Amino acid sequence: LERILAAPAAADAPVKAWVYFKDKGTDDPAVLKRLAMDARGWLSARAIQRRAKVRGSADPVDFEDLPVCAAYIDTVRPLITNMRTESRWLNAVSVEAAPEALPRIAALDCVRAVDIVHGFKRSEPTDALEAGQASPAASLPPSVLPPLKTIYGPSYRQIEQIRVRGLHEMGLTGRGVLVCMMDVGFRKTHEAFRTANIVDQRDFVMKDNDVQRDWNNPADYSDAHGTATWSLLGGYAPGKIIGPAFGADFLLAKTEDDRSETPIEEDYWAAGIEWAEGHGADVVSSSLGYTDWYQFKDMDGKTAVTTKAANRATALGVVVVNAAGNERRNAWAHIIAPADGFDVIAVGAVDANGNLASFSSPGPTADGRIKPEVCAMGVRTIVAASGATTGDAYYQWGSGTSYATPLVAGAVALLLEAHPEWTVAQVRDALLSTASRAPSPGNDYGWGIVNAAAAVKK
């Protein structure tokens, strides 16, 4: 509580806080069995099938899947101003409450702990799109390109560097693989997504089921970054951009709020990945920035809330691919959460020549593990762009580990299409053991630049 109450905030402004409960509200075996049955109904058939890859014939549902006790939530509700999200996995709710209410909440018999909801932010100078230019795709007429490059257009370099083209030639496009994009909003009307199959979508910020930006609502802010990352993974506009897994199925989760100084808040991210896992996601692609509240010692694979949620997802068979961060030249100068997760595939950025980007966050984790795992192109990648006046056929260049990440996540989707039986561990082993620096991994490139064509043969 001392840490929460010491947080800088406007006078009388509500505090965003996690309220962790002591248990699930009962120890009655019969009630717990009923709750487990209810939880099983909350999971999609895809999620149960995916969990079976790591659990075998064991019950796919465990204690962490049980719902947060409704009576506990009702006990807290009179003391708060807003209920933000609820997490079965964390057995907690995130709330907004007046500072003076927090000690009363912490004193409730059902409450185990109260802590702050951390806010993350990106390094905008390196992670931002290069704006104010003509569409790069329009400046590259097909007549100056070999036939193959004509298909990929300016995205050829980023695809070829990680050897995805060979998998496309094998007929792999991500078909049958469910990928969740977690980001700001998404411009679904962009031509790069005309063939995309959206299975479901959820806006955790605006609390509705449409991740498209509403230009008539000033509160519904920004979809540029999400549009860019999705196009890198699953865009399909021949001659302009082709993502590695353009044939995949998609879950779109808006978990970031660019209106604030801390646009990425961990409770939305935790809720988003829990939602995605329950829907049966095979792959999650996301990027986060560091927060002033965490210290490097917390990048130990088990402390940050987002890292805990990512660890839970990977333990359930979801391949989580996360940006390593753009902090090399900043005061933080380390990887970011949840890239520190034990089985999370953290992604660094290189340029078109394979040289490490000057901003790409280095490892190790606080407990000494090598990070990032792999690298992909994150310097002047071609992306679909979204803006008030750009329309649905505009493209820009972008730099940042955020843009390397979906390229790797797309390659993962292709590996899972070819080997649907692979577990998270098998995907990691295939990627790492075939990357460009596998014989001598280190804390700059990790195991090196992805070689998807070699990984699929493992």
Side-chain angles (χ1 to χ4, degrees):
L1 283 179
E2 289 82 1
R3 182 172 65 165
I4 298 175
L5 296 177
D12 301 322
V15 176
K16 299 169 186 175
W18 283 108
V19 179
Y20 295 92
F21 297 111
K22 292 180 178 178
D23 51 44
K24 296 287 187 174
T26 182
D27 57 3
D28 185 318
V31 176
L32 290 172
K33 183 176 181 180
R34 177 178 57 78
L35 291 174
M37 290 295 294
D38 291 343
R40 193 173 289 106
W42 175 71
L43 297 174
S44 71
R46 285 189 66 118
I48 293 174
Q49 183 179 18
R50 191 205 57 246
R51 288 186 178 199
K53 290 197 294 185
V54 292
R55 293 190 168 178
S57 60
D59 194 329
V61 172
D62 59 25
F63 184 80
E64 291 182 67
D65 291 311
L66 303 185
V68 179
C69 178
Y72 290 172
I73 296 176
D74 289 341
T75 301
V76 169
R77 202 179 297 275
L79 301 175
I80 65 174
T81 58
N82 182 40
M83 182 74 66
R84 288 167 59 87
T85 64
E86 177 181 328
S87 173
R88 295 172 179 239
W89 292 355
L90 299 174
N91 196 27
V93 291
S94 65
V95 304
E96 294 177 6
E100 60 270 18
L102 297 178
R104 297 171 59 192
I105 295 173
L108 294 172
D109 289 341
C110 60
V111 172
R112 175 175 62 83
V114 176
D115 198 3
I116 197 167
V117 171
H118 299 302
F120 297 77
K121 55 187 176 183
R122 288 202 188 94
S123 304
E124 291 301 336
T126 53
D127 219 24
L129 297 167
E130 297 178 26
Q133 59 183 357
S135 172
S139 67
L140 294 173
S143 60
V144 304
L145 298 169
L148 183 62
K149 291 187 178 181
T150 302
I151 298 172
Y152 290 95
S155 68
Y156 179 83
R157 297 180 308 164
Q158 59 212 43
I159 288 291
E160 179 61 15
Q161 187 183 64
I162 59 174
R163 302 295 185 264
V164 158
R165 179 172 57 84
L167 275 61
H168 286 171
E169 292 173 352
M170 294 169 56
L172 298 174
T173 64
R175 186 177 293 107
V177 179
L178 186 58
V179 177
C180 178
M181 304 296 304
M182 294 174 60
D183 215 298
V184 295
F186 304 87
R187 190 171 186 137
K188 296 177 292 181
T189 55
H190 197 286
E191 66 173 11
F193 310 124
R194 284 177 182 167
T195 63
N197 181 35
I198 301 172
V199 173
D200 204 353
Q201 55 189 300
R202 177 65 183 167
D203 185 336
F204 290 88
V205 179
M206 305 304 294
K207 301 187 186 307
D208 60 36
N209 294 319
D210 188 358
V211 296
Q212 178 101 357
R213 180 178 180 179
D214 181 358
W215 291 93
N216 295 317
N217 181 2
D220 192 358
Y221 188 79
S222 183
D223 59 0
H225 197 270
T227 301
T229 57
W230 185 19
S231 71
L232 279 160
L233 190 153
Y236 186 76
K240 299 178 181 180
I241 192 170
I242 292 181
F246 60 86
D249 300 321
F250 293 100
L251 298 169
L252 302 179
K254 181 179 176 181
T255 58
E256 306 179 23
D257 184 357
D258 270 357
R259 294 171 297 173
S260 67
E261 288 299 314
T262 53
I264 313 166
E265 292 177 306
E266 64 185 5
D267 55 344
Y268 292 145
W269 195 93
I273 198 168
E274 196 168 323
W275 170 83
E277 191 281 326
H279 275 63
D282 301 299
V283 184
V284 166
S285 179
S286 86
S287 58
L288 285 179
Y290 74 93
T291 174
D292 293 336
W293 283 106
Y294 288 127
Q295 302 174 39
F296 175 59
K297 66 180 179 64
D298 298 320
M299 301 296 104
D300 59 359
K302 59 184 179 182
T303 298
V305 165
T306 53
T307 303
K308 292 178 181 177
N311 287 343
R312 168 73 175 169
T314 58
L316 296 174
V318 182
V319 182
V320 179
V321 185
N322 202 90
N326 303 329
E327 315 301 330
R328 179 177 292 268
R329 297 179 298 183
N330 297 340
W332 177 258
H334 299 291
I335 60 166
I336 56 178
D340 63 315
F342 295 114
D343 290 320
V344 171
I345 297 173
V347 181
V350 296
D351 64 18
N353 296 318
N355 300 313
L356 190 71
S358 61
F359 50 79
S360 188
S361 287
T365 60
D367 57 325
R369 288 172 288 120
I370 291 176
K371 289 281 180 174
E373 270 75 9
V374 292
C375 290
M377 189 170 157
V379 178
R380 288 183 62 79
T381 56
I382 192 71
V383 300
S386 178
T389 60
T390 58
D392 291 331
Y394 191 81
Y395 299 83
Q396 292 175 301
W397 306 108
S399 296
T401 57
S402 289
Y403 302 131
T405 298
L407 291 171
V408 174
V412 167
L414 301 185
L415 298 183
L416 286 174
E417 180 187 4
H419 303 283
E421 76 285 359
W422 274 7
T423 64
V424 172
Q426 289 172 305
V427 170
R428 281 176 54 89
D429 176 69
L431 276 182
L432 274 57
S433 66
T434 58
S436 63
R437 295 175 178 247
S440 56
N443 287 305
D444 289 321
Y445 293 86
W447 278 258
I449 299 170
V450 165
N451 184 334
V456 79
K457 297 175 183 177
K458 287 290 291 184

